[in-house]
Amino acid sequence: DLYRDWNEEYQSVKELPKSNIQERVFRERLLSKISFEFTLNATKGAMEILNGNLSPMNPNEHPSQFIFLRNNIFYSLATDSSDQYVNRGGNEASRYNAGKDLESIRVLNKLDDTKVSHLCTAVIDYCGRRVVCQTPVPGVFNNDALLSAEEKNIFSKIVYGSTDEGSNIASSEKFEQLFSSVSQAFHLKKHPVYIKDEANDKIKSIPLVTSLETKG
């Protein structure tokens, strides 16, 4: 099925009741089933990409920046395509960071907070290369022409975290409360993040309880 909504499936199962042993066993079986099927599909897609059998969505970019979409899974190469780690290890640092992202997903799975969602994620090593496989952010494929004004606002507005590697950061007391269990799991405390306010050319602080990559 090329239109399988992994996010919807996974989150729907996470929200199943778990008040007794029978409910917990049934829920865990379904979570394991979806995780296995996602990883299986992600592995097949990553192998097709590295074998040169899939066309990228951005063919005019440098090969290190190629992204792919198959079976509702985004694929990108674990390389320092944006020079984020240019002075900190380059491609090796990016490869290592992809592995740490996967460790974070494992922590969140163990935490099992139904109020917090995460993207289904797999990291595939094949033929000496690493591919990061994730489900799309909810709403990314919505047709703006079909959305109401309220829906457009929901899908387009990030009220907590950053989508541009820290150039702009948003904070929200509501999401601070929702992410409290996450910050405790990662041993983080509320802290200021400093960015330049382009309006008045001054430095301002934004309070966060998680990494700025965590979005609300």
CSV table of all heavy atoms in Angstrom, one decimal, residues 21 30 43 117 122-124 132 150 153 166 176 189:
chain,number,residue,atom,x,y,z
A,21,ILE,N,-3.5,-6.3,32.2
A,21,ILE,CA,-2.5,-7.1,31.5
A,21,ILE,C,-2.9,-7.4,30.1
A,21,ILE,O,-2.1,-7.4,29.2
A,21,ILE,CB,-2.1,-8.3,32.4
A,21,ILE,CG1,-0.9,-9.0,31.7
A,21,ILE,CG2,-3.3,-9.2,32.5
A,21,ILE,CD1,0.4,-8.2,31.7
A,30,LEU,N,0.4,-5.0,18.9
A,30,LEU,CA,0.2,-4.2,17.7
A,30,LEU,C,1.3,-3.2,17.5
A,30,LEU,O,1.7,-2.9,16.3
A,30,LEU,CB,-1.2,-3.4,17.9
A,30,LEU,CG,-2.4,-4.3,17.8
A,30,LEU,CD1,-3.7,-3.4,18.0
A,30,LEU,CD2,-2.5,-4.9,16.4
A,43,THR,N,13.6,-0.6,5.2
A,43,THR,CA,14.8,-1.3,4.7
A,43,THR,C,14.8,-1.5,3.2
A,43,THR,O,15.8,-1.3,2.5
A,43,THR,CB,15.0,-2.6,5.5
A,43,THR,OG1,15.1,-2.3,6.9
A,43,THR,CG2,16.2,-3.3,5.0
A,117,SER,N,3.9,12.7,20.7
A,117,SER,CA,4.0,11.8,19.5
A,117,SER,C,5.4,12.0,18.9
A,117,SER,O,6.1,13.0,19.1
A,117,SER,CB,3.0,12.2,18.4
A,117,SER,OG,1.7,12.1,19.0
A,122,ALA,N,13.7,4.9,11.3
A,122,ALA,CA,14.6,3.8,11.2
A,122,ALA,C,15.9,4.3,10.6
A,122,ALA,O,15.9,5.3,9.8
A,122,ALA,CB,14.0,2.7,10.3
A,123,VAL,N,17.0,3.7,11.0
A,123,VAL,CA,18.3,4.1,10.4
A,123,VAL,C,18.9,2.8,9.8
A,123,VAL,O,19.1,1.8,10.5
A,123,VAL,CB,19.3,4.6,11.5
A,123,VAL,CG1,20.7,4.9,10.9
A,123,VAL,CG2,18.8,5.9,12.0
A,124,ILE,N,19.1,2.8,8.5
A,124,ILE,CA,19.5,1.7,7.7
A,124,ILE,C,20.9,1.8,7.2
A,124,ILE,O,21.3,2.8,6.5
A,124,ILE,CB,18.6,1.4,6.5
A,124,ILE,CG1,17.1,1.4,6.9
A,124,ILE,CG2,18.9,0.1,5.8
A,124,ILE,CD1,16.7,0.4,8.0
A,132,VAL,N,18.6,7.6,6.7
A,132,VAL,CA,17.7,7.9,7.7
A,132,VAL,C,16.3,7.9,7.1
A,132,VAL,O,16.0,8.5,6.1
A,132,VAL,CB,17.9,9.3,8.3
A,132,VAL,CG1,16.9,9.6,9.4
A,132,VAL,CG2,19.3,9.4,8.9
A,150,GLU,N,-8.6,27.9,9.5
A,150,GLU,CA,-8.2,27.4,10.8
A,150,GLU,C,-7.3,26.2,10.6
A,150,GLU,O,-6.3,26.1,11.3
A,150,GLU,CB,-9.5,26.9,11.5
A,150,GLU,CG,-9.1,26.3,12.9
A,150,GLU,CD,-10.4,25.8,13.7
A,150,GLU,OE1,-11.5,26.0,13.1
A,150,GLU,OE2,-10.2,25.4,14.8
A,153,ASN,N,-3.8,27.4,9.6
A,153,ASN,CA,-3.1,27.9,10.8
A,153,ASN,C,-2.5,26.8,11.7
A,153,ASN,O,-1.4,26.8,12.1
A,153,ASN,CB,-4.1,28.7,11.7
A,153,ASN,CG,-3.3,29.4,12.8
A,153,ASN,OD1,-2.4,30.1,12.6
A,153,ASN,ND2,-3.8,29.2,14.0
A,166,GLY,N,17.4,26.7,14.4
A,166,GLY,CA,17.7,27.7,15.4
A,166,GLY,C,17.6,29.1,15.0
A,166,GLY,O,17.8,30.0,15.8
A,176,GLU,N,5.4,23.3,27.2
A,176,GLU,CA,6.4,23.1,28.2
A,176,GLU,C,5.8,22.0,29.2
A,176,GLU,O,6.5,21.1,29.7
A,176,GLU,CB,6.7,24.4,29.0
A,176,GLU,CG,7.7,25.3,28.3
A,176,GLU,CD,8.0,26.5,29.1
A,176,GLU,OE1,7.7,26.5,30.3
A,176,GLU,OE2,8.5,27.5,28.6
A,189,LYS,N,16.7,20.4,32.0
A,189,LYS,CA,15.9,21.4,32.8
A,189,LYS,C,15.6,22.6,31.9
A,189,LYS,O,16.2,22.8,30.8
A,189,LYS,CB,16.7,21.8,34.0
A,189,LYS,CG,17.9,22.6,33.7
A,189,LYS,CD,18.6,23.0,35.1
A,189,LYS,CE,19.8,23.9,34.8
A,189,LYS,NZ,20.4,24.3,36.1
